[in-house]
C-alpha cells in the first residue's frame, strides 16, 4: 500500500473542502485534498443555485445580523445551535466579500450594488448570487468552485482526484489521516498520514431514490465520523426541495421566485398553499414540500406534480434577475412569462450531521468538519442560501483551526493504524449496486416527506436486511469494491436517520410524523448519536 504524509488532509472537493484547504495552507506547508470526483467538479456545490444568504451591512438597509440570526433560528424550529448560527451571521458577509475580492468569484451586481433576492423564510432580501452566465445552467455552481480551484493551484495544494475516502485513520484516540481508494479503475489503496483532518465530504441526499444531489453524495462523511468516534446530531431532519422541475425539464427551480410573486397551483388552477400554511406561497421549504405532497396525494396534481406559475412576476424581473433560468426554460419549450411549469419535491439537503463547535472541532483530537457534513446551524429546517454560506464560513473556520492544530504538533505525526481489508468475492446472490437501489427506494417510500411508526419500522427492517446481505454480496471488480464501501456507509447513515426519526415523536421542521402531527415542547432539542460497537446510541439533549 502506498503512503502519503502531509500536515492537513481535507476530504471533499466542494466549496467547504476548497475553503478548508485554502484556510489550512495559511499555517502549514503541505495540504492534501482528496475528492471522489475531480476537485471543484463534484459534490452539490456545482449543482446549487450559486446563491449565498448573508448580511452585507450598508448594502442591505433595514436588515441586520440580529434579524438574520432570528430568521435562521426560527426557520430551524428553534433547535439550531445559537453559537453556530451567530458565527454564520457574523462571518458570512465579510467572507463572501473576501471570496469576491481575493479569489475572483463574481457576485451579481447592478450599478455596483449586489442584486438581492428574498426567498421564503427571510425577512429581508439578503440572498446574492454569483455571475454564472459563462457556465451551463445546471452546473452554475462552477462559477464558485473554478475560481477557488485556481487559488488552490496557486497555493500548491495537492489534489487527489477520483479518490474515495473509505475510512478515517485514528491512532490512540487522535485522527491521523485516512485511507483512500482509487476509484478510476485500479482499485489501489493509499494511506494518507496527517496531523489533522477536515471532513468536508458533503451530505447524504443520494440515500433517497428521488434526489437532486450529485451521485457522490452518499453519506460517507457521517459514517466515517461515527466510526472515528465523533457524534452526529439532528439526523432525522432531511430537507426536501419543494420545486424540483418535472416538466418541461428536470432542474431545480429557485424558491426566491416566490418572493417576487410566483405561486403554486393545482390541476384546477387553484392556489392551494393558503389551505396548508398561513404564509401561503411564502411558506418555508418544509411546509411547501409537504403541501405539494398532500395536494398530489389527494388527486389534485398534474403529471406527478403541481403547477408553478411565474406569470405574475413580470418579464422585466424574470429577465433582469432570473435571466439565465428564463432563457434555459425557453430553450426547453417553456416561457415562464406565460407558461406554467410542473414541479414536485426531491431530496435536497441533510440539516443534521457531525457535531462541531464554531471552529469545526468534532471532539475527536485532530478531526474537524465543515459544510453539509456538519449539523447544528439549520436545526430542523434550512433557509435558502444558508447552505453555501455555511460551507463558506465553516470551511474557513475548520481549515484554519486544523492548520493551527497541525502547526502546533511540530514534526510529530501519529502513525497510521492497520488499513481496512478490501473485500473481494466473485460469488454472491446480490451486488452492492442492487443493495443500494433497495435502500434508496425504501427510504423514499418509508422515511421521506411523511413518516409514521409503521413506515419507519419497515425501513429499519429493510436496512438491517441490506446490512446482512452486504456481508455476502458479490464483489468481483474495482467498481463493485467502491460501491461496497459506499453502500456500507449508506446503511449506517440510513439507520441513524430512521432511529432518530422513530424517537422524535412529534412533527418539527422537515420531520413530519403522520402519527404525531403536532410540534411538542418536550422535543425542543436534539438527538445526538454515537457508535458503540455496531450499535447506535442516541441521547436527547434539550435546547
Amino acid at each position: 500500500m502506498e503512503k502519503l504524509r502531509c500536515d492537513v488532509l481535507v476530504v471533499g472537493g466542494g466549496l467547504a473542502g476548497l475553503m478548508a484547504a485554502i484556510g489550512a495552507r495559511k499555517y502549514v506547508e503541505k495540504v492534501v485534498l482528496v475528492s471522489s470526483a475531480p476537485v471543484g467538479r463534484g459534490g452539490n456545490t456545482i449543482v446549487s443555485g450559486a446563491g449565498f444568504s448573508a448580511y452585507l451591512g450598508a448594502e442591505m438597509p433595514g436588515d441586520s445580523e440580529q434579524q438574520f440570526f432570528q430568521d435562521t433560528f426560527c426557520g430551524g424550529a428553534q433547535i439550531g445551535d445559537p453559537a453556530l448560527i451567530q458565527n454564520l451571521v457574523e462571518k458570512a458577509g465579510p467572507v463572501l466579500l473576501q471570496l469576491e475580492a481575493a479569489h475572483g468569484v463574481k457576485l451579481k451586481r447592478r450599478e455596483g450594488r449586489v442584486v438581492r433576492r428574498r426567498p421564503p423564510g427571510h425577512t429581508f432580501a439578503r440572498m446574492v448570487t454569483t455571475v454564472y452566465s459563462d457556465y451551463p445552467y445546471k452546473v452554475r455552481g462552477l462559477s464558485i468552485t473554478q475560481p477557488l480551484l485556481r487559488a488552490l493551484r496557486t497555493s500548491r495544494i495537492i489534489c487527489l482526484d477520483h479518490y474515495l475516502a473509505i475510512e478515517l485513520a485514528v491512532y490512540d484516540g487522535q485522527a491521523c489521516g485516512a485511507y483512500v481508494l482509487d476509484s478510476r479503475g485500479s482499485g489501489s489503496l493509499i494511506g494518507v498520514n496527517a496531523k489533522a483532518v477536515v471532513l468536508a465530504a458533503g451530505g447524504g441526499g443520494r440515500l433517497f431514490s428521488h434526489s437532486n444531489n450529485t451521485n457522490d453524495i452518499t453519506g460517507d462523511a457521517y459514517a466515517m465520523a461515527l466510526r472515528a468516534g465523533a457524534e452526529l446530531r439532528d439526523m432525522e431532519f432531511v430537507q426536501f426541495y419543494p420545486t424540483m422541475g418535472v416538466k418541461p425539464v428536470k432542474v431545480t427551480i429557485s424558491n426566491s421566485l416566490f418572493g417576487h410573486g410566483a405561486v403554486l397551483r393545482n390541476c384546477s388552477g387553484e392556489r392551494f398553499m393558503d389551505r396548508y400554511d398561513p404564509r401561503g406561497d411564502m411558506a418555508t421549504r418544509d411546509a411547501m414540500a409537504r403541501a405539494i405532497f398532500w395536494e398530489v396525494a389527494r388527486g389534485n396534481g398534474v403529471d406527478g406534480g403541481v403547477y408553478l406559475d411565474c406569470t405574475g412576476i413580470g418579464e422585466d424581473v424574470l429577465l433582469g434577475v432570473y435571466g439565465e433560468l428564463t432563457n434555459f426554460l425557453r430553450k426547453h419549450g417553456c416561457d415562464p412569462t406565460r407558461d406554467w411549469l410542473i414541479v414536485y419535491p426531491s431530496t435536497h439537503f441533510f440539516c443534521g450531521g457531525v457535531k462541531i463547535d464554531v471552529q469545526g472541532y468534532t471532539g475527536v483530537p485532530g478531526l474537524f468538519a465543515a459544510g453539509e457534513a456538519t449539523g447544528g446551524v439549520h436545526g430542523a429546517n434550512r433557509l435558502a442560501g444558508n447552505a453555501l454560506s455555511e460551507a463558506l464560513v465553516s470551511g474557513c473556520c475548520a481549515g484554519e483551526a486544523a492548520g493551527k492544530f497541525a502547526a502546533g504538533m511540530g514534526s510529530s505525526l501519529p502513525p497510521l493504524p492497520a488499513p481496512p481489508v478490501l473485500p473481494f468475492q466473485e460469488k454472491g446472490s446480490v451486488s452492492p449496486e442492487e443493495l443500494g437501489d433497495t435502500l434508496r427506494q425504501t427510504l423514499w417510500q418509508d422515511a421521506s416527506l411523511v413518516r409514521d411508526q409503521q413506515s419507519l419500522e419497515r425501513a429499519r427492517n429493510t436496512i438491517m436486511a441490506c446490512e446482512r446481505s452486504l456481508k455476502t454480496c458479490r464483489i468481483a471488480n474495482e467498481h463493485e469494491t467502491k460501491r461496497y464501501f459506499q453502500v456500507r456507509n449508506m446503511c449506517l447513515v440510513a439507520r441513524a436517520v430512521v432511529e432518530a426519526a422513530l424517537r422524535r415523536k412529534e412533527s418539527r421542521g422537515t420531520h413530519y410524523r403522520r402519527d404525531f402531527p403536532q410540534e411538542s415542547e418536550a422535543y425542543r432539542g436534539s438527538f445526538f448519536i454515537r457508535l458503540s460497537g455496531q450499535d447506535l446510541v442516541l441521547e436527547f439533549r434539550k435546547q
Side-chain angles (χ1 to χ4, degrees), residues 138 244-251 253 303 306-308 325-336 339-343:
K138 280 193 171 185
M244 183 68 186
V246 175
K247 286 187 178 181
V249 62
K250 291 183 178 179
V251 67
I253 307 296
D303 289 337
V306 298
Y307 289 120
L308 173 60
L325 172 61
T326 300
N327 292 327
F328 176 80
L329 292 172
R330 283 174 171 172
K331 288 178 183 178
H332 288 83
C334 175
D335 185 344
D339 300 323
W340 296 352
L341 297 75
I342 299 176
V343 297

Side-chain angles (χ1 to χ4, degrees), residues 68 84-92 377 386 389-390 393:
F68 189 12
L84 293 179
I85 298 173
Q86 188 62 40
N87 192 54
L88 174 73
V89 302
E90 285 180 0
K91 295 180 179 177
V377 168
N386 278 359
S389 293
E390 176 196 28
V393 170

Side-chain angles (χ1 to χ4, degrees), residues 230-499:
E231 284 188 318
L232 305 184
R233 61 176 296 169
D234 303 323
M235 291 300 288
E236 65 270 41
F237 298 113
V238 180
Q239 185 176 77
F240 301 92
Y241 198 86
T243 52
M244 183 68 186
V246 175
K247 286 187 178 181
V249 62
K250 291 183 178 179
V251 67
T252 304
I253 307 296
S254 175
N255 292 161
S256 61
L257 287 161
F258 294 104
H260 292 283
V263 297
L264 294 173
R265 300 184 186 274
N266 60 22
C267 62
S268 301
E270 173 197 8
R271 291 181 61 177
F272 60 85
M273 278 302 302
D274 288 333
R275 289 194 276 109
Y276 294 95
D277 193 283
R279 296 166 293 187
D281 291 286
M282 283 299 287
T284 50
R285 288 174 172 177
D286 55 330
M288 183 175 286
R290 279 194 300 274
I292 296 171
F293 172 87
W294 285 119
E295 197 69 8
V296 173
R298 288 167 178 161
N300 297 325
V302 55
D303 289 337
V306 298
Y307 289 120
L308 173 60
D309 175 10
C310 301
T311 60
I313 294 179
E315 188 170 11
D316 56 336
V317 175
L318 283 172
L319 290 176
V321 181
Y322 302 96
E324 294 88 353
L325 172 61
T326 300
N327 292 327
F328 176 80
L329 292 172
R330 283 174 171 172
K331 288 178 183 178
H332 288 83
C334 175
D335 185 344
T337 65
R338 55 181 175 80
D339 300 323
W340 296 352
L341 297 75
I342 299 176
V343 297
Y344 191 72
S346 183
T347 312
H348 185 58
F349 187 87
F350 270 51
C351 297
V354 182
K355 176 182 175 291
I356 59 166
D357 65 11
V358 295
Q359 296 302 318
Y361 177 54
T362 66
V364 177
L367 181 60
F368 302 81
E372 194 179 347
T374 69
V377 168
H378 310 293
N381 183 43
R382 176 177 69 80
L383 296 187
N386 278 359
L388 289 183
S389 293
E390 176 196 28
L392 189 65
V393 170
S394 65
C396 285
C397 292
E400 292 187 4
K404 292 175 183 177
F405 182 91
M409 291 183 64
S411 60
S412 174
L413 186 61
L416 285 173
V421 176
L422 298 183
F424 189 90
Q425 50 196 33
E426 293 187 354
K427 295 181 180 180
S429 59
V430 65
S431 70
E433 193 76 47
E434 291 169 318
L435 291 175
D437 288 343
T438 297
L439 200 64
R440 285 189 291 268
Q441 291 291 341
T442 294
L443 287 185
W444 180 257
Q445 291 168 6
D446 293 331
S448 58
L449 287 99
V450 176
R451 307 159 168 175
D452 58 34
Q453 185 82 15
Q454 187 177 19
S455 74
L456 290 168
E457 288 179 351
R458 279 198 307 270
R460 171 200 273 166
N461 291 336
T462 302
I463 294 165
M464 292 172 65
C466 287
E467 287 183 308
R468 290 192 296 270
S469 296
L470 194 62
K471 296 176 182 178
T472 57
C473 69
R474 181 179 66 255
I475 307 169
N477 54 50
E478 290 80 6
H479 172 73
E480 289 185 341
T481 299
K482 172 187 173 182
R483 293 299 294 145
Y484 167 85
F485 283 108
Q486 287 182 320
V487 174
R488 182 182 69 149
N489 287 341
M490 289 169 65
C491 286
L492 180 57
V493 177
R495 266 205 287 151
V497 171
V498 168
E499 293 302 328

Side-chain angles (χ1 to χ4, degrees), residues 194-222:
K195 299 172 185 175
V197 179
V198 180
L199 196 52
R206 280 289 169 177
L207 268 73
F208 294 79
S209 59
H210 291 270
S211 174
N212 60 16
N213 286 205
T214 54
N215 290 332
D216 52 340
I217 305 299
T218 52
D220 300 309
Y222 307 136

Side-chain angles (χ1 to χ4, degrees), residues 101-290:
H103 300 304
V105 176
K106 298 178 182 178
L107 300 181
K108 188 175 288 188
R109 294 179 177 273
R110 185 180 296 132
E111 297 179 354
R113 300 182 68 84
V114 292
V115 176
R116 296 181 291 146
R117 303 178 182 181
R118 182 195 166 201
H122 290 281
T123 302
F124 292 93
R126 63 170 71 98
M127 180 194 275
V128 298
T129 65
T130 60
V131 176
Y132 46 73
S133 54
D134 292 338
Y135 300 91
Y137 186 75
K138 280 193 171 185
V139 287
R140 53 199 181 276
L142 288 171
S143 59
I144 302 166
T145 60
Q146 292 308 289
L148 287 174
L149 185 57
R150 289 192 288 272
L152 246 69
R153 290 168 176 159
T154 301
S155 300
R156 293 178 289 122
I157 292 168
I158 300 168
C159 295
L160 298 181
D161 293 342
H162 300 290
Y163 276 88
L164 174 70
I166 61 173
E167 198 77 273
L168 294 178
V170 179
Y171 179 81
D172 198 22
Q174 179 173 331
C176 58
Y179 291 98
V180 300
L181 187 71
D182 185 348
S183 60
R184 288 170 295 187
S186 71
S188 61
L189 190 67
I190 295 180
V192 184
N193 201 181
K195 299 172 185 175
V197 179
V198 180
L199 196 52
R206 280 289 169 177
L207 268 73
F208 294 79
S209 59
H210 291 270
S211 174
N212 60 16
N213 286 205
T214 54
N215 290 332
D216 52 340
I217 305 299
T218 52
D220 300 309
Y222 307 136
M224 288 191 291
L226 277 174
R227 291 195 295 268
E231 284 188 318
L232 305 184
R233 61 176 296 169
D234 303 323
M235 291 300 288
E236 65 270 41
F237 298 113
V238 180
Q239 185 176 77
F240 301 92
Y241 198 86
T243 52
M244 183 68 186
V246 175
K247 286 187 178 181
V249 62
K250 291 183 178 179
V251 67
T252 304
I253 307 296
S254 175
N255 292 161
S256 61
L257 287 161
F258 294 104
H260 292 283
V263 297
L264 294 173
R265 300 184 186 274
N266 60 22
C267 62
S268 301
E270 173 197 8
R271 291 181 61 177
F272 60 85
M273 278 302 302
D274 288 333
R275 289 194 276 109
Y276 294 95
D277 193 283
R279 296 166 293 187
D281 291 286
M282 283 299 287
T284 50
R285 288 174 172 177
D286 55 330
M288 183 175 286
R290 279 194 300 274

